[in-house]
Amino acid sequence: MLLFIYFNPIIGPDILYSVPQHIEDIISEDDIAQIKRLMDAATPGFFTHAFSNELNTANYFFMLPSAWARGKQEMAMITKIIEEESPNLSAYETEFKKFIQIIKERKMIYKALYINNPPLNYEAEINEEFDFLTNNILELSEFFEITQAQTHGIILPFKDLRRKKSLALPQNILRDLEVFLEKRKNFFIVFQKRKENFKIDIMPYEKKQVLKISVIFNGSLSPDTLKRISVVFQEMGLPFLYTSGICQQKGQCIYEGYFNPLDKTDFSETKAKLEEINNVEEIKIVHISLT
């Protein structure tokens, strides 16, 4: 999560732009207020701040020359909410400096800070500078998305898992899930057994129903058979969510697919078409509802 904060002469430090947008839907108003208040005591340069175990930031405070500001300088700060356990702060500082250098080379960039209260007859210029600024913020955000850790590992005693019957997610994973969720309200979760391991997939999902279709075969699964299954699934015209792939179990092949059923409730035709395929032994159709 990335924030561009500036000093508004009327209300004080304020967020001009954030990635993702609507940051207030992800972190609390109190946390946002604390981050903005960092500007009150900041001096130009890079610094970090730990508000709590869950909220840490890397920041770069700087000044922008401005023909419109009272002191001919605008105060601004770029802030990254640290989500990694071991962040590369040197890389943070380097990328912040590159970003600031790029926008400072734009002589009229200060006008972007007036996007929410544009002076009369300057709207077009302000919009142009704001677009330039936000595009560079997005590019900086993409750098952090690439460099930050993409996996997270923990070790848990099974006795605790069995006793609690729940799996606690680390705080940074919860923050990532909130970002992915956007306007959707639910997550679709798939648990898949793979020999001696279990795999868990978590996907943002807006509906309250999921359709699961299991196709069970005798013997091996030929490429032609797999193609025929794919054709039947395509003919349903339903958004595809997940497939287990081909699982071999005791001489049988099992192919499972999950779909968004939309408003459709009758899948008897789909079942009949799948049963016509060679070596198909059984078709199972299950409706999964929001718990």
Side-chain angles (χ1 to χ4, degrees):
M1 288 178 277
L2 196 63
L3 294 80
F4 187 95
I5 302 169
Y6 76 112
F7 188 84
N8 184 310
I10 298 174
I11 63 174
D14 197 18
I15 296 175
L16 185 73
Y17 192 77
S18 67
V19 182
Q21 296 186 52
H22 307 296
I23 197 77
E24 66 277 1
D25 294 336
I26 301 172
I27 59 178
S28 70
E29 291 183 6
D30 288 343
D31 287 344
I32 292 174
Q34 288 188 82
I35 293 170
K36 290 193 293 187
R37 282 199 296 269
L38 289 175
M39 286 192 74
D40 293 337
T43 56
F46 178 80
F47 66 98
T48 61
H49 190 88
F51 296 97
S52 65
N53 290 334
E54 289 76 31
L55 181 62
N56 298 282
T57 62
N59 318 271
Y60 206 111
F61 180 83
F62 60 101
M63 311 293 286
L64 283 175
S66 170
W68 289 354
R70 181 176 299 176
K72 303 302 180 184
Q73 295 277 345
E74 306 279 1
M75 292 185 288
M77 184 171 72
I78 186 75
T79 292
K80 173 74 173 69
I81 296 177
I82 298 174
E83 298 168 81
E84 308 98 309
E85 289 188 350
S86 301
N88 186 342
L89 296 178
S90 177
Y92 277 36
E93 183 175 5
T94 298
E95 293 305 314
F96 281 163
K97 286 180 178 178
K98 290 179 183 178
F99 165 79
I100 293 167
Q101 181 179 353
I102 290 171
I103 65 171
K104 278 190 171 183
E105 289 174 355
R106 186 97 168 183
K107 300 301 182 183
M108 300 296 173
I109 194 65
Y110 65 88
K111 293 181 179 180
L113 277 57
Y114 294 81
I115 188 70
N116 296 319
N117 189 25
L120 191 63
N121 300 324
Y122 285 94
E123 289 89 346
E125 296 176 38
I126 289 172
N127 286 331
E128 181 180 351
E129 298 303 322
F130 183 74
D131 288 344
F132 178 85
L133 177 62
T134 54
N135 285 337
N136 278 278
I137 294 172
L138 288 168
E139 287 185 13
L140 180 61
S141 175
E142 288 175 2
F143 166 81
F144 288 122
E145 287 180 3
I146 293 170
T147 57
Q148 71 182 33
Q150 298 298 307
T151 62
H152 185 94
I154 55 176
I155 299 175
L156 298 172
F158 181 69
K159 63 178 182 179
D160 290 351
L161 194 61
R162 181 167 51 190
R163 176 172 54 85
K164 296 177 181 178
K165 295 183 174 62
S166 63
L167 182 64
L169 297 177
Q171 189 65 34
N172 63 317
I173 300 300
L174 286 173
R175 285 198 297 264
D176 284 343
L177 290 177
E178 288 174 336
V179 172
F180 294 149
L181 193 61
E182 294 178 341
K183 295 182 179 179
R184 291 163 287 194
K185 297 181 179 180
N186 305 315
F187 280 102
F188 172 53
I189 303 175
V190 178
F191 302 86
Q192 183 175 2
K193 183 172 67 173
R194 290 186 171 181
K195 294 184 179 180
E196 297 180 354
N197 299 316
F198 270 89
K199 180 174 178 285
I200 301 176
D201 284 271
I202 305 176
M203 292 156 273
Y205 191 61
E206 69 275 12
K207 302 295 183 180
K208 296 182 179 181
Q209 297 279 338
V210 170
L211 175 72
K212 176 184 178 182
I213 300 180
S214 301
V215 185
I216 303 171
F217 303 84
N218 256 328
S220 60
L221 185 61
S222 68
D224 181 65
T225 301
L226 187 58
K227 182 178 179 180
R228 291 186 63 187
I229 295 172
S230 298
V231 169
V232 174
F233 284 164
Q234 289 172 9
E235 289 175 347
M236 289 195 301
L238 300 179
F240 175 77
L241 299 176
Y242 183 87
T243 178
S244 66
I246 303 166
C247 304
Q248 299 279 351
Q249 288 187 359
K250 298 179 180 179
Q252 289 183 323
C253 289
I254 302 175
Y255 185 91
E256 296 178 325
Y258 292 83
F259 304 86
N260 178 348
L262 301 177
D263 297 324
K264 191 173 180 180
T265 57
D266 183 7
F267 298 95
S268 55
E269 182 180 350
T270 297
K271 183 177 180 181
K273 288 181 179 179
L274 290 170
E275 288 174 338
E276 292 175 358
I277 299 174
N278 291 338
N279 297 330
V280 170
E281 184 177 273
E282 185 180 2
I283 305 296
K284 294 181 180 180
I285 296 180
V286 177
H287 295 269
I288 302 170
S289 300
L290 180 67
T291 56

